[in-house]
Amino acid sequence: MTKSEIDFQLLFEQSPEVLLVLLPDAPQYTMIAATRARLLATHTTVDQVIGRGLFELFPDNPDDGEASGTANLRASLDRVLATRAADTMAVQKYDIRDANGNFMSKYWSPKNIPVLSETGEVRYILHRVEDVTELVQANELGETLRGRSSAMEREVIQRSRELAESIRELRAANLKLAELDTAKTAFFSNISHEFRTPLTLMLAPIEDALADHAEPLSSIHRQRLQLARDNSLRLLKLVNTLLDFSRLESGRVQANYAPTDIAAFTTELAAMFQSAADRVDIRLDIDCPTVSEPVWIDREMWEKIIPNLVSNAFKFTFTGEITVRLREYAECVVIEVADTGIGIPEIELPRIFERFYRVTGSKGRTHEGTGIGLSLVRELVQLHGGHITVESIVDRGTCFRIEIPKGHKHLPNNTVTMAASEAEVSHHTVSYVTEAAYWNNNTIVEETIAASEPQDSCRARVLIVDDNNSLREYIAMLLTPHYDTVVVNDGLAALEAIKAQRPDIVVSDVMMPRLDGFGLVRALRADSNTTTLPIILLSARAGDNAAIEGLDAGADDYLVKPFSARELLARVRTHVELARMRHTLIEELEHANSELDAFSYSVSHDLRAPMRIIDNLSAALGEDYAAKLDGNGRRFIEQIRSQVQRVFTLIDALLDLARIARATIAPISVDISALANTIVNDLRIAQPERKVVVDIDKGLQAYGDRQLLSVVLTNLIGNAWKFTTQKNGHARIVVSYAADQCAFFVRDNGAGFDMTQANRLFVPFQRLHSTSEFAGTGIGLTTVRRALERQGGSIWAEAAVNEGATFYFSLPNSAHN
């Protein structure tokens, strides 16, 4: 072959090196040629590159205030022009745009090489780079390899600061990275294989037992083994996915691209989700018309691409439809998987294909997931020479778009076969469909299984809350022989079930969509009707910190998965018995309180007459004998009358407390704002010397007894008025509604109190401040608590010493504007 027959341009463009040819026309440095590897690495096309200035197409990331890649590269190119010698640069952080036009962090090892003419002039500059991003960001490895990865990252960053580092050292680092990648790949591969062996030994006997017609299983044993089989298959799916990643990273993927009727195969894969869609009333629209020619795809990979996208759409779509459509173009076919689901926030879109990345706080049919599905899809699509993009609008839906080239020239020759592919759908696709079938609608399901032991009429009722269908069924299977069970799949459904009928205990998972376990606990503890309802949290998060977090949230117990059946039964039984004992003691306490109220009313009423006589006599003594009394005598009479007034105040408070216990409750809509303003006006008239700024929100509405609410606000606003201080030039009181607490509140900027003493606030005659500092009887807050409890409400407080106090109170069925 002669020199003229060799296509040097083709050889250059197909080079695996990331190369770019520049003109020496500083400062533009116009790009005139690029290898295919360069275009792929920078997500650009020939039309975008050729004829444009280097820094026009690849500027610094405007969001990175410390970006210096452009300046460093320009300085290197200028040195090449000045010295006519190659210039090796240190590792540079030089962000580039991804396929969606967003900047993504990249680290490069650049070298600029002059191409000289026969006369020694610089004719071209060859710009060569190596992408070392994975080296710098090697901390994405697992915990076992994280230490070595971090050391490599620090080593590379250190090199980037040492401008005198040679290319030899960088190559040495690359060799170490290759060794690290090899070790990581071997680790994932080995661990995946090690999982597959015991899983096989688990699944095979289970399948044999389920298929045994000679000695068939009982229904309960069949149910248990089916549960074990389904979750073993789910674990096997995860192991297979990890194994796929290790093969991709090691370059050991054994692809087999064959001409395929892509429309028929895509239709077949998507249609397997029809029954799951019908189950939750979601329309599945498959629009895949026949294409004019077969498309070369790897059938096994396609069985992971399409089911992954469809199951993902199904997971996040609650109403409307899921559409799978195929369209043919001159050089490619395009497959779209679109839904009318919850959508993806715009800020999350650039990271949606990152491995192990999950959108936080998203609402889905389940909270379960590994965050590797979409990353695997992108890798598999790229192996087909294609690319995948996503568009989404929050609350309107998401569309994933895959573009696959026609023909097979873009694929490695040794992976292409001319024989058409006709294989059947494998178990891999079935695993996606099986998993999707477990994702129910958010409905309440009640079931009671007949107990094998004698039943009584006082069976406790257990609410089971978990978004995993299998685990719900398993826990229900354990508990129903002993308790009546209700099962729901998230916290919001649990609140609805509790509103319909209060259970004796709640057993809830932590990680769930819509409302998680911690949110459920907070909601139940904020409601006076469920403040004492026993709650056991279940979580896969082990360790003391996780347990403390659960107990701090207000749970009664915390159980780490996996747990034994005996342990769960023992804890449920213990908390049910404790709850019943508490209920009995509360009933006894109410009886005692009733007797105490009656006694207080009788004694207080009888005390008024003698105290009035003492007051009248001391007044007469002071008037009739004032001239005969010395200073001490007159002071003693004043002290007698002062203490009599304190006794009258205490008697009135005790009578108010007793009246509340006897009062008939007449709930109506009460204008809290107007009531609070009336109380404040009365305080201003009684104490005109007090300068207090009071902010009362307009339109506050509550549903309760007006007289009792007047008692509540009179005490709370009166206390705030008493304890406020001239802080920063003024004393302030706020009356408002806290949406996050679902409660009204009265806040002051006064003396406050130590929260370690908060349990004494609502106990009769318990004072947190001395009478010499602030006058009072010590039963005002007790009266407030009793007034709210009579209406089904509750009260609590937050404060800090010298930072003021906030008293919250809630009422059932209250609304506010």
Side-chain angles (χ1 to χ4, degrees):
M1 179 181 293
T2 66
K3 182 177 180 180
S4 61
E5 294 175 323
I6 300 175
D7 191 339
F8 289 101
Q9 181 176 350
L10 178 61
L11 288 174
F12 172 80
E13 291 174 349
Q14 296 301 318
S15 170
E17 298 284 345
V18 182
L19 299 172
L20 189 64
V21 179
L22 307 174
L23 289 178
D25 56 343
Q28 289 83 6
Y29 292 107
T30 304
M31 299 175 285
I32 61 172
T35 61
R36 183 172 180 268
R38 168 74 188 198
L39 299 177
L40 289 174
T42 56
H43 303 285
T44 54
T45 65
V46 172
D47 292 340
Q48 291 174 319
V49 169
I50 303 305
R52 295 182 67 182
L54 175 61
F55 303 108
E56 174 190 354
L57 185 59
F58 300 106
D60 277 332
N61 184 348
D63 296 328
D64 186 353
E66 299 180 358
S68 60
T70 294
N72 295 339
L73 177 54
R74 187 182 294 279
S76 174
L77 294 172
D78 291 343
R79 284 196 296 272
V80 171
L81 290 181
T83 64
R84 302 180 186 178
D87 188 84
T88 299
M89 300 177 65
V91 171
Q92 299 291 313
K93 181 179 184 297
Y94 199 158
D95 298 351
I96 64 168
R97 290 186 175 92
D98 59 16
N100 297 319
N102 301 308
F103 279 95
M104 60 182 181
S105 295
K106 282 288 186 179
Y107 292 85
W108 309 91
S109 171
K111 184 173 184 179
N112 297 307
I113 306 166
V115 179
L116 303 179
S117 67
E118 294 179 355
T119 60
E121 297 298 322
V122 178
R123 189 169 181 182
Y124 306 106
I125 298 177
L126 193 61
H127 177 55
R128 174 186 176 276
V129 295
E130 289 186 54
D131 186 348
V132 294
T133 304
E134 290 193 1
L135 179 64
V136 177
Q137 297 178 340
N139 61 344
E140 293 180 358
L141 300 177
E143 287 296 330
T144 306
L145 304 176
R146 190 177 300 279
R148 293 176 62 188
S149 173
S150 298
M152 293 297 297
E153 179 180 343
R154 289 193 298 271
E155 182 179 348
V156 171
I157 293 176
Q158 180 64 26
R159 286 199 185 97
S160 71
R161 295 170 182 168
E162 299 172 356
L163 299 179
E165 286 289 341
S166 68
I167 192 66
R168 181 188 59 79
E169 291 174 328
L170 182 58
R171 290 190 182 278
N174 286 338
L175 288 176
K176 291 181 181 179
L177 177 61
E179 293 173 1
L180 189 61
D181 282 339
T182 301
K184 180 192 64 176
T185 300
F187 169 76
F188 279 124
S189 180
N190 291 339
I191 208 72
S192 298
H193 280 293
E194 288 299 319
F195 274 128
R196 288 167 69 89
T197 298
L199 278 171
T200 301
L201 294 175
M202 289 166 53
L203 281 167
I206 291 174
E207 295 287 359
D208 289 343
L210 290 173
D212 191 345
H213 298 292
E215 297 183 15
L217 298 168
S218 65
S219 60
I220 187 64
H221 287 117
R222 175 171 291 276
Q223 182 182 3
R224 290 172 179 170
L225 284 184
Q226 286 174 337
L227 183 62
R229 179 196 61 188
D230 291 345
N231 284 276
S232 296
L233 285 172
R234 183 169 178 263
L235 181 57
L236 181 61
K237 173 192 164 190
L238 177 59
V239 169
N240 285 335
T241 303
L242 291 174
L243 192 57
D244 287 336
F245 267 117
S246 68
R247 287 171 177 166
L248 285 168
E249 293 194 341
S250 64
R252 294 187 294 108
V253 176
Q254 297 177 349
N256 182 24
Y257 302 103
T260 307
D261 184 345
I262 194 170
F265 191 33
T266 302
T267 298
E268 181 182 7
L269 295 173
M272 296 184 69
F273 290 86
Q274 186 63 61
S275 60
D278 292 342
R279 192 185 221 176
V280 293
D281 198 26
I282 295 292
R283 182 171 179 262
L284 179 60
D285 182 14
I286 304 173
D287 179 17
C288 297
T290 303
V291 297
S292 61
E293 60 183 272
V295 177
W296 266 260
I297 61 172
D298 181 289
R299 195 176 182 94
E300 184 178 343
M301 294 182 191
W302 205 249
E303 287 188 52
K304 297 168 185 175
I305 294 172
I306 299 301
N308 214 312
L309 293 177
V310 176
S311 66
N312 202 59
F314 183 78
K315 181 178 181 180
F316 296 105
T317 302
F318 294 88
T319 59
E321 64 183 14
I322 297 170
T323 302
V324 180
R325 67 175 69 93
L326 184 148
R327 294 293 180 265
E328 180 181 12
Y329 297 92
E331 297 181 354
C332 67
V333 292
V334 172
I335 298 92
E336 293 181 343
V337 178
D339 63 61
T340 57
I342 64 171
I344 304 169
E346 184 177 0
I347 195 174
E348 306 280 2
L349 287 176
R351 302 190 62 188
I352 201 68
F353 293 110
E354 291 182 16
R355 66 186 62 177
F356 309 116
Y357 182 75
R358 301 179 64 193
V359 178
T360 57
S362 61
K363 169 188 171 184
R365 294 186 181 277
T366 178
H367 197 276
E368 298 173 347
T370 59
I372 59 180
L374 290 177
S375 178
L376 178 63
V377 167
R378 181 183 63 175
E379 298 278 355
L380 297 177
V381 169
Q382 289 176 348
L383 284 176
H384 284 77
H387 64 271
I388 181 171
T389 58
V390 60
E391 296 178 354
S392 186
I393 300 176
V394 173
D395 295 330
R396 293 184 60 182
T398 302
C399 179
F400 287 90
R401 188 178 190 270
I402 300 172
E403 183 176 313
I404 301 294
K406 287 183 178 179
H408 57 79
K409 291 183 179 180
H410 58 285
L411 301 170
N413 289 333
N414 62 344
T415 64
V416 173
T417 180
M418 296 299 130
S421 173
E422 297 293 343
E424 294 182 355
V425 174
S426 71
H427 72 278
H428 199 94
T429 300
V430 177
S431 66
Y432 284 98
V433 178
T434 302
E435 188 172 40
Y438 280 101
W439 299 336
N440 299 343
N441 259 340
N442 297 309
T443 54
I444 299 174
V445 181
E446 296 191 18
E447 57 176 319
T448 304
I449 300 177
S452 57
E453 56 191 42
Q455 299 184 33
D456 56 42
S457 58
C458 299
R459 277 167 60 95
R461 185 181 182 87
V462 182
L463 175 64
I464 302 165
V465 192
D466 200 303
D467 64 324
N468 184 291
N469 185 62
S470 298
L471 192 56
R472 287 200 308 272
E473 292 180 354
Y474 175 66
I475 296 175
M477 181 177 66
L478 292 177
L479 297 180
T480 44
H482 314 286
Y483 309 99
D484 293 338
T485 59
V486 178
V487 295
V488 297
N489 66 351
D490 66 28
L492 291 183
L495 293 177
E496 291 298 320
I498 293 170
K499 186 182 296 185
Q501 184 172 1
R502 187 183 190 276
D504 294 281
I505 188 171
V506 175
V507 179
S508 174
D509 189 23
V510 171
M511 304 298 287
M512 297 181 295
R514 300 206 301 169
L515 182 65
D516 64 13
F518 291 150
L520 174 61
V521 171
R522 286 191 292 268
L524 294 177
R525 293 299 180 246
D527 188 338
S528 61
N529 295 317
T530 54
T531 51
T532 61
L533 178 62
I535 305 171
I536 299 177
L537 288 180
L538 308 176
S539 177
R541 295 172 56 196
D544 293 339
N545 289 338
I548 291 171
E549 185 180 1
L551 297 175
D552 283 347
D556 297 272
D557 210 338
Y558 188 93
L559 198 56
V560 177
K561 303 174 187 176
F563 49 81
S564 70
R566 293 179 60 187
E567 183 178 15
L568 176 64
L569 286 168
R571 297 203 186 193
V572 171
R573 180 175 62 253
T574 297
H575 286 290
V576 167
E577 291 174 356
L578 285 174
R580 288 181 169 177
M581 291 174 61
R582 283 198 300 266
H583 181 69
T584 300
L585 292 173
I586 290 170
E587 287 182 345
E588 292 177 356
L589 182 61
E590 287 181 350
H591 179 69
N593 283 337
S594 177
E595 292 182 345
L596 180 61
D597 288 337
F599 173 76
S600 298
Y601 184 83
S602 175
V603 170
S604 300
H605 188 272
D606 291 344
L607 279 175
R608 293 184 70 86
M611 292 306 301
R612 189 176 295 109
I613 292 173
I614 293 173
D615 186 46
N616 291 337
L617 289 175
S618 59
L621 183 64
E623 292 174 358
D624 297 343
Y625 298 92
K628 297 181 180 181
L629 295 174
D630 59 11
N632 286 335
R634 289 191 294 273
R635 187 165 59 254
F636 290 154
I637 291 177
E638 290 175 357
Q639 289 179 353
I640 291 172
R641 298 204 65 191
S642 174
Q643 294 304 314
V644 167
Q645 292 304 315
R646 288 194 61 192
V647 173
F648 274 131
T649 301
L650 179 60
I651 290 173
D652 289 339
L654 288 172
L655 286 173
D656 286 342
L657 187 62
R659 290 190 188 104
I660 287 172
R662 297 162 174 254
T664 301
I665 306 299
I668 60 172
S669 180
V670 178
D671 188 335
I672 293 292
S673 301
L675 188 56
N677 275 304
T678 299
I679 294 168
V680 171
N681 289 336
D682 291 343
L683 286 169
R684 294 195 190 282
I685 294 171
Q687 302 179 41
E689 71 282 1
R690 291 279 286 150
K691 305 301 180 184
V692 181
V693 176
V694 183
D695 297 325
I696 301 174
D697 282 1
K698 297 180 180 179
L700 298 175
Q701 295 288 326
Y703 188 77
D705 184 274
R706 181 178 179 81
Q707 291 300 117
L708 294 185
L709 286 177
S710 179
V711 170
V712 169
L713 287 176
T714 297
N715 277 278
L716 293 182
I717 296 176
N719 275 354
W721 185 276
K722 177 170 61 177
F723 288 109
T724 51
T725 57
Q726 293 292 333
K727 191 173 184 180
N728 297 326
H730 66 268
R732 179 177 293 274
I733 299 174
V734 178
V735 181
S736 184
Y737 186 87
D740 60 332
Q741 300 276 355
C742 299
F744 301 94
F745 67 86
V746 177
R747 176 176 296 147
D748 64 66
N749 66 338
F753 56 84
D754 187 341
M755 283 297 290
T756 61
Q757 303 295 315
N759 60 334
R760 298 172 52 200
L761 281 173
F762 306 103
V763 179
F765 307 113
Q766 295 288 317
R767 297 176 51 87
L768 304 188
H769 302 87
S770 67
T771 54
S772 61
E773 292 180 284
F774 301 99
T777 62
I779 61 174
L781 290 178
T782 304
T783 304
V784 170
R785 185 194 65 184
R786 188 72 60 83
L788 289 168
E789 288 177 347
R790 285 294 318 273
Q791 303 173 81
S794 62
I795 184 170
W796 65 97
E798 296 176 356
V801 175
N802 296 324
E803 296 294 332
T806 303
F807 284 83
Y808 298 92
F809 65 93
S810 64
L811 291 163
N813 305 318
S814 282
H816 68 284
N817 297 330

